[in-house]
């Protein structure tokens, strides 16, 4: 009987994993563009600058300040060169390939983490845990981001999984295992320096909870420092001079307060984000799961990682939702723990309703993000213009120039032969009389300019985000619908 039940669980988990892989692939295909400009400019553009494909004018100030880790740009150089040798030159195919590679790597890391932690939950909840780990509605979208946050969490999950197995093992951790964990944490840190908060959480867990073989900390430290030493050489090669980016990053953003110039938020801002951004219902469940886990599972390294990570980021003045992305992968197990803690058969009907509401809310968000481009769909607008060979000129306002972000140009996605005219007042479209081959970019919320375009005889030929996605977004609020980009042209 037990063997049969185990086989059933195995078959169900295999089916869930295959379904998740399909969702990840669809999400990667749809998710053109970037969630935040750093995802492109501090990785792909850094890589292009090093290979001579662009000048320093198209790369953000962090390049000259030597404050960014270069491990991911170096990997990007290798991947892009390999794809170009295979004949790929379309920038959207290259970007899609990076997202697919990231999705596959995340799925592998999550599978490892599930295997390492499944013994801490009831056998009957393994399938639910697997489903949440892959299909919590924002997880596939985060997983396909070719960003430092997602790259870092790949290795953090591996290290956290090792720590969870250590917590359940009666014996002491071996020196080799400690060194490997140090290496994994070092790599996670080198992709994103803020991961140090999670590293400190694991260290405190080891000292305060695990409390065995303190000498093994030296082996973990050796592994961590060996990665930093190699990264130092890589950073110095990339920047062309001896540098130590972690120290420069701390000096610029914390001591000199540069990060605060991008916005200052109160210490509790991440609590509000956690409550509201995943939807208020799911956000409340997540916050409750964190509180319950801190009480019931305070000896788990997962709790120490999440608490230290969120607390550390809360101390910084500048806060962004993307900084919390790595923690999304630790909430599924805390949600299961909380369900096991509060579920009672006497309230079976109530819990069934709550579970159904959770699943329906999650399914709607999952469907929306699987079909949605990043943010307001700038990437989709760029792809439409790139693929539409008849388009030779883009007419837009300065604010709606799809080839510029702040003062930086998105030349990577610009097809040769396309000119951009942002000096034209779109209120004068009637007198300008756009020609065939012109693409006029107007945001959805700009009703007056849309009316001017229609009065000038132009037709709406493309919207950067599908209408049905925009309707779902009224509930999920993942972006400002008025910022959807509309493309008008003369047919």
């Amino acid at each position: 009987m037990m063997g049969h039940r185990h086989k059933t669980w195995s078959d169900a988990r295999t089916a869930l994993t295959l379904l998740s892989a399909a969702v990840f692939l669809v999400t990667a295909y749809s998710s053109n563009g970037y969630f935040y400009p750093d995802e492109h400019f501090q990785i792909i553009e850094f890589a292009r600058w090093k290979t001579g494909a662009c000048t320093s004018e198209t790369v953000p100030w962090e390049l000259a300040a030597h404050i960014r880790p270069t491990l991911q740009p170096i990997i990007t150089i290798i991947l892009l060169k390999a794809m170009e040798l295979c004949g790929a030159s379309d920038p959207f195919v290259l970007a899609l390939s990076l997202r697919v590679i990231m999705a596959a790597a995340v799925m592998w890391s999550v599978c490892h983490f599930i295997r390492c932690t499944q013994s801490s939950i009831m056998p009957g909840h393994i399938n639910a845990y697997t489903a949440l780990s892959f299909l919590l509605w924002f997880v596939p979208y985060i997983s396909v981001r070719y960003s430092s946050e997602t790259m870092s969490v790949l290795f953090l999950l591996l290290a956290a999984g090792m720590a969870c197995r250590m917590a359940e093992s009666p014996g002491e951790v071996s020196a080799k295992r400690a060194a490997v964990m140090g290496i994994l944490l070092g790599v996670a840190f080198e992709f994103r320096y803020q991961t140090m908060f999670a590293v400190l959480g694991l260290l405190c867990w080891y000292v305060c909870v695990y409390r065995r073989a303190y000498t093994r900390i030296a082996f973990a430290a050796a592994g961590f420092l060996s990665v930093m030493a190699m990264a130092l050489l890589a950073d110095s090669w990339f920047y062309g001079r001896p540098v130590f980016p972690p120290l420069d990053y701390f000096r610029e953003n914390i001591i000199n307060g540069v990060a605060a110039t991008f916005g200052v938020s109160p210490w509790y801002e991440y609590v509000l984000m956690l409550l509201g951004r995943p939807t208020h219902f799911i956000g409340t469940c997540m916050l409750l799961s964190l509180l319950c886990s801190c009480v019931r599972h305070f000896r788990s390294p997962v709790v120490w990682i999440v608490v230290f990570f969120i607390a550390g980021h809360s101390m910084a003045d500048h806060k962004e939702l993307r900084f919390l992305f790595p923690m999304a992968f630790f909430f599924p197990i805390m949600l299961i723990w909380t369900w096991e803690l509060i579920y009672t058969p006497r309230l079976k009907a109530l819990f069934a309703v709550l579970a159904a509401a959770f699943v329906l809310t999650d399914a709607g968000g999952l469907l929306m993000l699987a079909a949605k481009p990043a943010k307001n769909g700038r990437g989709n607008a760029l792809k439409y213009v790139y693929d539409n060979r008849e388009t030779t000129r883009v007419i837009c306002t300065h604010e709606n120039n799809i080839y510029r972000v702040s003062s930086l140009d998105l030349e990577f996605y610009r097809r040769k032969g396309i000119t951009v005219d942002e000096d034209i007042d779109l209120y004068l479209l009637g007198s300008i009389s756009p020609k065939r081959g012109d693409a006029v970019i107007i945001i959805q919320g700009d009703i007056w300019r849309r009316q001017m375009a229609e009065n000038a005889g132009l037709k709406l030929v493309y919207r950067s985000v599908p209408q049905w996605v925009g309707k779902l977004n009224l509930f999920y609020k993942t972006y400002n619908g008025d910022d959807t980009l509309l493309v008008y042209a003369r047919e």
Side-chain angles (χ1 to χ4, degrees):
M1 173 65 79
M2 288 297 293
H4 175 70
R5 288 172 61 190
H6 178 76
K7 184 177 186 300
T8 302
W9 294 334
S10 177
D11 290 346
R13 291 167 67 187
T14 299
L16 279 170
T17 304
L18 292 175
L19 173 62
S20 301
V23 172
F24 275 47
L25 285 174
V26 172
T27 305
Y29 177 81
S30 302
S31 195
N32 285 312
Y34 48 80
F35 180 81
Y36 194 80
D38 288 3
E39 189 178 327
H40 173 81
F41 285 103
Q42 294 183 15
I43 300 174
I44 293 178
E45 289 299 335
F46 267 43
R48 295 181 71 234
W49 170 81
K50 187 61 180 178
T51 58
C54 67
T55 64
S56 58
E57 285 75 21
T58 64
V59 185
W61 66 274
E62 287 91 344
L63 177 70
H66 310 131
I67 68 171
R68 290 295 178 184
T70 63
L71 183 56
Q72 192 168 359
I74 291 172
I75 292 173
T76 305
I77 292 173
I78 297 170
L79 292 175
L80 292 180
K81 288 294 183 182
M83 286 185 279
E84 288 171 1
L85 287 174
C86 294
S89 59
D90 186 317
F92 295 94
V93 172
L94 297 175
L96 171 60
S97 300
L98 294 177
R99 294 195 298 271
V100 170
I101 291 171
M102 184 63 76
V106 169
M107 287 203 67
W108 182 79
S109 289
V110 171
C111 282
H112 170 83
F113 186 72
I114 292 173
R115 287 195 298 269
C116 291
T117 56
Q118 63 185 7
S119 61
S120 67
I121 65 177
M122 296 178 182
H125 295 152
I126 296 294
N127 291 338
Y129 177 33
T130 302
L132 281 173
S133 296
F134 289 121
L135 300 176
L136 192 57
W137 70 273
F138 42 82
V139 164
Y141 180 82
I142 293 172
S143 300
V144 304
R145 303 262 61 83
Y146 191 70
S147 64
S148 61
E149 291 89 0
T150 305
M151 187 70 84
S152 176
V153 81
L154 291 176
F155 296 89
L156 180 59
L157 283 170
L158 296 177
M162 292 181 65
C164 289
R165 280 188 171 171
M166 285 167 49
E168 297 173 358
S169 174
E172 295 181 351
V173 61
S174 67
K176 179 181 178 181
R177 196 173 185 82
V180 170
M181 182 178 294
I183 291 172
L184 292 173
L185 292 174
V187 175
F189 170 79
E190 284 300 332
F191 280 120
R192 186 160 184 80
Y193 298 142
Q194 292 92 328
T195 307
M196 180 55 72
F197 294 123
V199 176
L200 291 175
L202 265 181
L203 178 61
C204 289
W205 167 81
Y206 193 99
V207 173
C208 299
V209 177
Y210 189 67
R211 294 187 296 183
R212 278 181 270 171
Y214 290 116
T215 56
R216 297 294 189 264
I217 295 177
F219 291 93
F224 187 93
L225 293 174
S226 66
V227 173
M228 288 193 66
M230 289 186 286
L232 176 61
L233 295 176
D235 292 335
S236 299
W237 167 78
F238 190 93
Y239 287 116
R241 51 169 288 189
V243 294
F244 189 49
L247 182 60
D248 293 335
Y249 180 91
F250 182 81
R251 183 189 66 249
E252 289 291 332
N253 285 311
I254 306 302
I255 297 178
N256 294 340
V258 174
T261 63
F262 295 98
V264 175
S265 303
W267 67 268
Y268 54 82
E269 184 67 19
Y270 283 126
V271 176
L272 298 180
M273 289 183 185
L274 202 57
L275 275 172
R277 297 305 295 270
T279 73
H280 290 294
F281 175 54
I282 291 182
T284 300
C285 293
M286 291 175 63
L287 186 59
L288 177 63
S289 74
L290 176 57
L291 296 175
C292 289
S293 298
C294 287
V295 175
R296 185 67 178 267
H297 294 273
F298 69 95
R299 299 183 64 84
S300 170
V302 170
V303 172
W304 289 73
I305 288 173
V306 175
V307 169
F308 269 73
F309 191 92
I310 295 177
H313 279 76
S314 296
M315 291 188 295
D317 291 331
H318 181 59
K319 299 174 179 66
E320 295 179 27
L321 178 64
R322 65 188 175 108
F323 295 165
L324 288 183
F325 282 0
M327 295 301 98
F329 299 91
F330 295 101
F331 272 96
I333 191 168
M334 293 193 293
L335 286 167
I336 295 296
W337 284 341
T338 302
W339 178 271
E340 293 176 347
L341 175 64
I342 66 176
Y343 179 81
T344 171
R346 289 178 297 176
L347 299 175
K348 183 177 180 180
L350 173 61
F351 279 98
V353 170
L354 291 174
F358 191 102
V359 170
L360 288 175
T361 304
D362 188 77
L366 196 66
L367 177 64
M368 182 188 69
L369 289 185
K372 180 186 173 298
K375 297 297 280 185
N376 70 330
R378 178 195 291 261
N380 272 6
L382 287 165
K383 190 175 188 306
Y384 174 82
V385 174
Y386 186 93
D387 291 340
N388 188 0
R389 296 292 169 172
E390 294 181 357
T391 301
T392 56
R393 182 173 69 151
V394 171
I395 299 173
C396 57
T397 64
H398 176 76
E399 296 81 7
N400 296 336
N401 188 343
I402 58 177
Y403 294 104
R404 184 175 300 136
V405 180
S406 298
S407 59
L408 300 172
D409 292 330
L410 269 172
E411 292 297 322
F412 179 68
Y413 294 109
R414 185 168 173 174
R415 174 166 45 83
K416 290 182 179 179
I418 292 180
T419 60
V420 179
D421 198 334
E422 61 178 26
D423 297 324
I424 295 176
D425 187 344
L426 295 187
Y427 285 118
L428 302 176
L429 282 174
S431 60
I432 297 167
S433 187
K435 303 176 180 60
R436 189 178 299 275
D438 291 344
V440 180
I441 309 294
I442 303 174
I443 64 170
Q444 182 168 289
D446 194 342
I447 298 175
W448 290 107
R449 284 194 173 98
R450 289 169 58 188
Q451 187 62 53
M452 293 297 104
E454 292 172 7
N455 291 343
L458 301 179
K459 301 294 184 183
L460 176 62
V461 296
Y462 188 76
R463 59 173 60 244
S464 62
V465 180
Q467 280 186 304
W468 68 268
V469 171
K471 291 179 180 178
L472 277 176
N473 185 66
L474 295 174
F475 175 74
Y476 292 95
K477 295 180 174 61
T478 61
Y479 73 106
N480 184 353
D482 285 343
D483 291 338
T484 300
L485 297 170
L486 307 179
V487 182
Y488 285 83
R490 191 172 300 281
E491 294 185 337

